[in-house]
Structures are given as C-alpha cells and as structure tokens.
C-alpha cells in the first residue's frame, strides 16, 4: 500500500521500496485537503495510509524507519513532529493515538542526540542513538530546521524551540543570509559550496523561534526570494519554507472549530446573506471587515498556531481595534449563522 520512492512517470519503477518522509508528507497533505475542501475521501485515504505507515515504517522502539524495507540507520530530516501531532488527532483508535505520542517522544530524543554540541547542526544520516553515520549537514539534514520550525509554529513544541535556539546560538547567529552556502560540515560548520534556496529557506525558518530575530529573518526572506530558475528540489523548498516563513502555512485543522471543513466561498448564500466573500484588511491597529448586506457576522482572529486571539461581531461591516494584539500573521475567519463564509490572511504590524 506504499509507493516506490522513485518512478519514471507512469511507465516504470526506478527506485524500489518506500521512503518514509514521502508517506509522512503525503498523509499530512491528505488531512489538510480534507479540512480545505471537506471531502471525506481525503480523510479516509489518509487514515488508510497511516495504518500502512504504522505497520511498515515505524519500528518497535517507536523511531521512524527510513523505508518499508530497511532500518540500518536513521534520517533526522524525515522526522515531522507537526505531522505526527495531526496523525494523532485524526486516528480513530486510541492505541494508534498513543502510538503517535510515543513516536513524537522517541524521535525528539533522536533529534536531540544527533544535534551537534558545538555547531547545533544535524547530520544527513545517523544511528538510532543519534551518532552520525554518513553525510554532513547537507541536502537531507537541511530539512530538519524547517520541520522543527513548523512544529514550533503549529504546536509550540518546547523541544523544537530549544533545538532551534541551540542552532542559532551555536552557529547561525553570526551568519548573514548572503553568506549561507551548501556543503556545511556537521562538526565544524564550515561552508564550501554555493548559495541556494535549499539552505537559505530552512535556516530562515529556524530563526522564527523568537521574535527578536525578526530583522535578521527579513534579510533571509529577501535572499530567499532572490533565487530564480533553480533545480526542482531547491524550488520546492523555496515555496514550502517561504509559505511557513510568511505565515501562509496555517494548520487548517486547528482553524476548524466544529471538526468539519469549509473554506472561503465566493457567491455566499447563507441564512439570507447573498453576495461576495467578506473583504478584510488591516490599517494600523484597526481590523476592517466589510460583509454582505447587513447580515450579522461573527469575526474571529486566529494566530498561526490555530489559537483564537480575538472575537468580534459585525452587521454588514465593522472596524475593530486590535491594539493589544501582538504583531504577526493571522487568519481572519468570518461566519454567518455558524457557517464559515470567509477566511483571509492578514499581517498585524
């Protein structure tokens, strides 16, 4: 029930066996698709895939296996704590939920053990005890800070925040965005290669563990957006790290209060409110919401962790003070008669 890790279009298999990071990411995408579009089939497919993952790609000691057919070493960059939290929430069996708790704990231990005491970096591959086996802080390992920043953004994991802080204090703190190169030595932090999105993006995400890094993170953002026509891997990481860094990768499940899915609809027709999706904007410290006709609306301001930070009501339109809201990126959700009719991203400065 798992996919071979490398295929030649639809014609042949070039690499036999499954790769566990692909299953983690595909299962998460299916869950997010369910909360984005509301089609139950996405959630059903996700649960079926997760059953196969637990059966074939999680070891008895709760560490991830790198694939369905081998387990001689581990890849720290495969570990996706935010995804594991989602899996725990959507699994229906309590034993499966408990399993994901154990997976989170065991794999965070692996990440802590693999993080270098001097550089704060991770290696491409390691033993189950976290000891480097092969590879430096290269094109596998570079995904680790992105996944940790993701776990911190969605769930505020203390382990993730601590390890990102270690990376920053031990190595990243004095590195300008324009200085970042690939070919980074795991033990010394020396860089020997070329600059690209694969390395600038995840290291930009790593800086997000504290708001005091905002100015530096901005310079990394500028550098990340300057790259063009890169190979597919760098392009993919440019998009994904850019989405996370700009606050445009919210936990769609956490945004749903009632466990069902709906998204912003054009042509709203809810409880007599007919028209366009409500318009939302922020000017200074004022949130402006323009609704449809004079229909009462419930307005909710949600941070990137899915937590509600403010609620308002409006009748057709409204202006609301957000003077006490911390600067950052938020989702503004509007509902009419309990049904979501709009969902917009805003930045509070």
């Amino acid at each position: 029930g798992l996919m071979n890790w490398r295929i030649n279009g639809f014609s042949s298999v070039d690499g036999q066996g499954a790769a566990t990071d692909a299953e983690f990411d595909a299962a998460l995408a299916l869950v997010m698709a369910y909360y984005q579009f509301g089609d139950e089939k996405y959630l059903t497919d996700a649960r079926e895939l997760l059953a196969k993952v637990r059966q074939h790609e999680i070891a008895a000691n709760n560490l991830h296996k790198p694939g369905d057919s081998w387990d001689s070493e581990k890849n720290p960059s495969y570990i996706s704590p935010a995804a594991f939290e989602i899996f725990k929430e959507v699994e229906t069996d309590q034993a499966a939920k408990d399993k994901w708790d154990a997976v989170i704990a065991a794999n965070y231990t692996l990440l802590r053990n693999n993080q270098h005491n001097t550089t704060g970096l991770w290696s491409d591959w390691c033993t189950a005890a976290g000891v480097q086996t092969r590879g430096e802080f290269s094109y596998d390992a570079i995904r680790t800070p992105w996944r940790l920043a993701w776990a911190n953004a969605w769930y505020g994991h203390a382990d993730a925040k601590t390890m990102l802080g270690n990376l920053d204090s031990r190595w990243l703190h004095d590195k300008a965005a324009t200085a970042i190169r690939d070919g980074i030595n795991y033990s010394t932090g020396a860089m020997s290669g070329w600059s690209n999105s694969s390395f600038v993006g995840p290291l930009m995400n790593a800086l997000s563990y504290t708001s005091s890094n905002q100015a530096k993170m901005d310079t990394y953002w500028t550098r990340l957006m300057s790259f063009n026509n890169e190979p597919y891997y760098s392009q993919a990481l440019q998009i994904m790290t850019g989405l996370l860094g700009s606050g445009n990768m919210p936990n769609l499940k956490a945004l749903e209060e009632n466990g069902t899915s709906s998204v912003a609809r054009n042509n709203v027709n809810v409880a007599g409110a007919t028209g366009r999706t409500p318009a939302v904007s922020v000017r200074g410290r004022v949130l402006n919401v323009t609704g449809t006709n004079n229909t009462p609306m419930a307005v909710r301001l949600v941070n990137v962790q899915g937590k509600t930070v403010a609620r308002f009501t409006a009748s057709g339109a409204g202006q609301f003070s957000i003077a006490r809201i911390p600067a950052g990126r938020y989702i503004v959700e509007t509902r009419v008669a309990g049904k979501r009719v709009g969902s917009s991203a805003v930045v509070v400065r």
Side-chain angles (χ1 to χ4, degrees):
L2 303 175
M3 188 172 182
N4 288 301
W5 78 276
R6 188 171 65 191
I7 61 172
N8 182 16
F10 295 101
S11 61
S12 63
V13 174
D14 288 347
Q16 292 282 349
T20 302
D21 60 330
E23 269 76 58
F24 291 158
D25 289 339
L28 179 72
L30 288 166
V31 176
M32 291 297 106
Y34 166 68
Y35 285 100
Q36 176 79 356
F37 304 116
D39 188 336
E40 194 77 27
K41 187 177 187 301
Y42 289 117
L43 192 57
T44 299
D45 287 350
R47 286 169 174 159
E48 290 177 357
L49 178 56
L50 288 175
K52 295 293 185 181
V53 169
R54 285 188 282 102
Q55 180 181 359
H56 297 293
E57 295 180 319
I58 301 296
N61 62 2
N62 298 312
L63 291 175
H64 75 285
K65 297 166 62 176
D68 62 338
S69 58
W70 68 295
D71 193 25
S72 58
E73 56 186 341
K74 305 294 184 182
N75 189 313
S77 75
Y78 285 14
I79 299 168
S80 188
F84 300 162
E85 288 280 7
I86 292 290
F87 301 160
K88 180 180 68 176
E89 293 171 3
V90 301
E91 290 268 31
T92 56
D93 182 73
Q94 187 59 49
K97 294 178 182 292
D98 294 341
K99 183 69 172 178
W100 288 114
D101 268 333
V103 168
I104 292 170
N107 284 278
Y108 263 132
T109 297
L110 174 64
L111 287 170
R112 288 194 301 269
N113 290 340
N114 182 246
Q115 187 171 34
H116 198 279
N117 288 332
T118 301
T119 63
L121 301 172
W122 295 267
S123 63
D124 283 346
W125 295 91
C126 67
T127 68
V131 179
Q132 179 191 24
T133 54
R134 59 188 171 100
E136 302 297 330
F137 183 67
S138 191
Y139 283 86
D140 276 303
I142 189 57
R143 295 175 297 184
T144 302
W146 163 59
R147 293 194 186 277
L148 289 174
W150 180 4
N152 183 51
W154 280 20
Y155 288 98
H157 281 177
D159 280 323
K161 186 171 184 177
T162 296
M163 282 187 279
L164 293 171
N166 290 341
L167 173 63
D168 192 16
S169 63
R170 297 174 188 175
W171 183 79
L172 187 56
H173 65 96
D174 62 351
K175 305 295 187 300
T178 53
I180 297 300
R181 300 286 187 273
D182 65 4
I184 303 176
N185 187 280
Y186 170 61
S187 302
T188 68
M191 294 178 283
S192 60
W194 60 292
S195 183
N196 59 73
S197 294
S198 295
F199 283 75
V200 174
L203 292 173
M204 173 194 71
N205 291 156
L207 294 168
S208 67
Y209 77 97
T210 173
S211 61
S212 63
N213 281 338
Q214 182 66 65
K216 184 173 183 178
M217 192 172 171
D218 288 345
T219 67
Y220 272 69
W221 171 267
T222 299
R223 179 63 172 164
L224 179 65
M225 293 299 109
S226 72
F227 294 108
N228 293 294
N229 301 317
E230 295 182 297
Y232 88 96
Y233 187 81
S234 290
Q235 288 188 40
L237 280 173
Q238 182 185 44
I239 291 171
M240 291 187 291
T241 61
L243 288 171
L244 181 63
S246 62
N248 288 298
M249 192 172 147
N251 181 349
L252 298 178
K253 183 180 186 302
L255 292 178
E256 288 296 332
E257 289 183 311
N258 57 7
T260 59
S261 181
S262 62
V263 292
R265 310 286 194 217
N266 295 324
N267 302 319
V268 178
N269 188 356
V270 180
T274 302
R276 60 183 176 80
T277 298
V280 175
S281 65
V282 172
R283 293 182 180 275
R285 283 309 186 111
V286 175
L287 174 66
N288 300 283
V289 181
T290 301
T292 55
N293 304 327
N294 291 315
T295 306
M297 288 188 300
V299 181
R300 187 165 68 108
L301 194 63
V302 183
N303 67 17
V304 293
Q305 290 177 308
K307 297 177 181 177
T308 300
V309 298
R311 295 178 185 272
F312 311 100
T313 57
S315 182
Q319 291 186 324
F320 311 103
S321 172
I322 50 175
R324 296 185 179 182
I325 301 298
R329 296 165 177 83
Y330 297 88
I331 299 293
V332 179
E333 178 194 84
T334 49
R335 289 179 179 263
V336 172
K339 302 289 187 179
R340 181 188 292 185
V341 295
S343 182
S344 305
V346 298
V347 178
V348 177
R349 302 187 185 281

